[in-house]
Amino acid sequence: MNQKATNKTNKSGEGGYLAVLRIPSFTVLLLGRLVSGAGQILFSMATMWYILQLTESALAAALIPMLPYLIYAFLGIPLATISDRLPKKQLLIWTDIWRAVIACILAILFLTDSMLPWHIYAANLLIAILGFMFNPATQTVIPAILPKPAEQLAPANALLNSSSKTIELLGYALGGILIAFISLQSILFIYAITFLLSALAIAFIRIPVTKVVKQKGFSGFVKDSMQGITFLFSNKVLACCIIFGAIINFAGAPLHIFTPIFANMVLEAGPQGYGLLQSAFAAGSIVGSLLSGKYAKRLSLAHWFLVSYLTSGASLLLMPMYPNLYFAIVCSFLLMLGLALVNVPLVTSILLSTPEEKRGRVMNSMGVLMSGVSNPLGLLLGGWFIEAYSPSWVYMGIGMFVIFMGTASLFVRPFREDRAGHTLHRKSSISSEI
């Protein structure tokens, strides 16, 4: 009996947040990503602000944050295929170094009064391309540097997600202050330093060599690129997750447009209210990631989807029914908490079931299918809804739709089998321990 209790304690300790943070390679990689993530936010804000001042065109400035979405939608899968074919450690280091070089070139152009708008767009385009090669390599490396990925991957993913959201929450606030008080070339050099620090951190990590399996020629490259999609749809539960996730992202995309309008027209809270709602969104994402990371194994993937959709849908439905700022803040927090609950179990499940030589393509395929296409279409639809309907009705409509999708998942056969299989597996594990 004592031995069993000790084993349980050890198992829980192996997968806890503190245990994962004690792994030097993971901690160094996490810190490197936090530093470079802060730099990326600062770079995007500074270049967008510079374009706005230079052209006095909101559309010209809006192209800066839109570029990564366009690159991801059209080139995300091919870039992941290239990433899967290259040595991971060298790829991570050199993509960071090249991003730093691009920032330094921009800074020199600014200092010499030679900078033109197309330089800004080209730099953002190249940096987005490098980022979409860096990210799949990171997702391939993380399970490889964890001693026991089956126990440690969920909390590791939760820490990565929650820390990136924290940096995002703080980064935009601090970025606005820095842009107000220091010059663009200084910001560009700060950005370059952050990526050089990230590259230096990665250089000290011991990363196992990942085997590379590739087909020759252009047709072989196309076939390799499609392996991510075919892998996802070879698993019925994952295929259902992708389809449901894409539909929800399509329906929820207009909220990016409606949130400031809702804060202004319905809550009458102005920009301060909008800022508070955005902060609640970030806080909900952080808490949701940490909760699902800790309890990822307690529920099946289908159960997480059900809990996520019901929580998020109910929050959206209730928010306009009681138009009060503080109630809206609570609902915004629960909305993003619900959406974040499913992210860590889904990513962990896919990473653990994917062969390491395909991880980059599989993860980028998931992102492209779930958000790369559906988000832009949803934003276009949201632009039409702004003109036609009240924000309150849109919030309630999306909330009811999300609840409907969560309820509908109860009747989808792969989800039902996943819930039953998880329950049976837990029961068999408990009986074997007894």
Side-chain angles (χ1 to χ4, degrees):
M1 182 69 181
N2 291 337
Q3 184 62 38
K4 287 182 181 179
T6 303
N7 290 338
K8 287 181 183 178
T9 303
N10 289 339
K11 285 180 181 178
S12 63
E14 288 168 357
Y17 291 121
L18 290 177
V20 172
L21 288 172
R22 292 192 188 102
I23 301 169
S25 295
F26 174 77
T27 303
V28 171
L29 183 64
L30 175 64
L31 292 173
R33 285 192 60 177
L34 290 180
V35 171
S36 60
Q40 184 64 51
I41 290 171
L42 187 59
F43 176 80
S44 179
M45 290 181 67
T47 53
M48 187 168 63
W49 184 255
Y50 180 77
I51 286 289
L52 184 62
Q53 288 186 315
L54 196 65
T55 65
E56 296 183 351
S57 168
L59 178 60
L63 288 174
I64 297 293
M66 282 178 61
L67 275 174
Y69 288 107
L70 295 173
I71 293 296
Y72 192 54
F74 292 103
L75 295 177
I77 295 175
L79 289 173
T81 305
I82 296 172
S83 177
D84 278 344
R85 292 182 170 202
L86 297 174
K88 299 300 174 287
K89 184 168 184 175
Q90 290 88 328
L91 176 63
L92 292 172
I93 292 172
W94 282 105
T95 48
D96 273 345
I97 289 174
W98 277 112
R99 283 185 278 188
V101 169
I102 291 168
C104 288
I105 292 173
L106 272 186
I108 292 169
L109 288 172
F110 183 82
L111 284 170
T112 57
D113 292 323
S114 304
M115 185 183 287
L116 299 172
W118 76 265
H119 294 142
I120 297 284
Y121 293 123
N124 276 276
L125 181 70
L126 292 172
I127 285 171
I129 289 171
L130 291 168
F132 291 130
M133 293 175 67
F134 179 92
N135 292 337
T138 304
Q139 290 165 330
T140 301
V141 162
I142 289 171
I145 63 175
L146 297 174
K148 297 183 178 180
E151 292 84 14
Q152 296 166 340
L153 188 55
N157 281 329
L159 286 169
L160 288 168
N161 285 356
S162 58
S163 58
S164 67
K165 287 295 180 182
T166 303
I167 288 295
E168 184 178 322
L169 179 63
L170 299 175
Y172 284 109
L174 295 176
I177 296 172
L178 288 174
I179 290 170
F181 288 101
I182 64 177
S183 62
L184 178 64
Q185 72 266 22
S186 299
I187 289 174
L188 292 172
F189 281 126
I190 290 172
Y191 173 80
I193 291 169
T194 62
F195 277 98
L196 290 175
L197 289 174
S198 175
L200 183 64
I202 294 168
F204 286 98
I205 300 174
R206 183 182 176 278
I207 298 175
V209 177
T210 304
K211 64 178 180 177
V212 177
V213 179
K214 60 182 179 180
Q215 303 180 62
K216 295 182 179 179
F218 178 76
S219 62
F221 181 85
V222 173
K223 291 177 181 177
D224 284 347
S225 297
M226 293 303 296
Q227 284 184 359
I229 296 175
T230 54
F231 178 86
L232 289 170
F233 282 91
S234 66
N235 183 303
K236 292 181 180 179
V237 176
L238 292 181
C240 287
C241 290
I242 299 299
I243 294 169
F244 270 65
I247 294 171
I248 293 300
N249 283 337
F250 171 76
L255 294 176
H256 294 289
I257 303 172
F258 277 107
T259 301
I261 297 173
F262 183 82
N264 190 45
M265 293 177 58
V266 179
L267 300 178
E268 299 180 353
Q272 294 86 359
Y274 173 52
L276 288 171
L277 293 181
Q278 288 293 104
S279 299
F281 286 155
S285 296
I286 294 167
V287 175
S289 295
L290 292 174
L291 283 174
S292 59
K294 185 174 182 179
Y295 301 108
K297 290 187 175 183
R298 300 288 182 89
L299 299 175
S300 69
L301 197 54
H303 276 116
W304 281 116
F305 257 82
L306 179 62
V307 173
S308 172
Y309 284 6
L310 294 181
T311 303
S312 302
S315 301
L316 281 170
L317 182 62
L318 291 172
M319 196 185 304
M321 289 184 177
Y322 305 96
N324 174 275
L325 176 61
Y326 298 106
F327 183 74
I329 290 171
V330 173
C331 287
S332 298
F333 174 84
L334 292 174
L335 166 63
M336 294 309 295
L337 182 146
L339 293 176
L341 282 176
V342 76
N343 288 340
V344 171
L346 177 60
V347 170
T348 301
S349 177
I350 294 176
L351 286 175
L352 288 175
S353 61
T354 307
E356 62 179 1
E357 67 272 12
K358 296 181 182 180
R359 279 183 192 140
R361 282 165 284 172
V362 170
M363 297 308 298
N364 265 23
S365 296
M366 180 193 74
V368 170
L369 292 172
M370 288 185 71
S371 60
V373 177
S374 59
N375 274 355
L377 292 176
L379 287 170
L380 288 174
L381 180 67
W384 176 76
F385 271 123
I386 286 177
E387 302 295 332
Y389 299 100
S390 162
S392 295
W393 285 110
V394 174
Y395 267 69
M396 288 190 288
I398 296 174
M400 286 188 290
F401 180 75
V402 173
I403 292 173
F404 168 78
M405 291 296 293
T407 306
S409 71
L410 292 169
F411 303 96
V412 176
R413 185 174 178 180
F415 277 155
R416 288 207 316 266
E417 291 173 350
D418 185 50
R419 291 188 188 97
H422 184 82
T423 304
L424 290 172
H425 174 73
R426 286 186 64 193
K427 286 182 179 178
S428 63
S429 299
I430 293 169
S431 62
S432 63
E433 288 178 4
I434 295 173

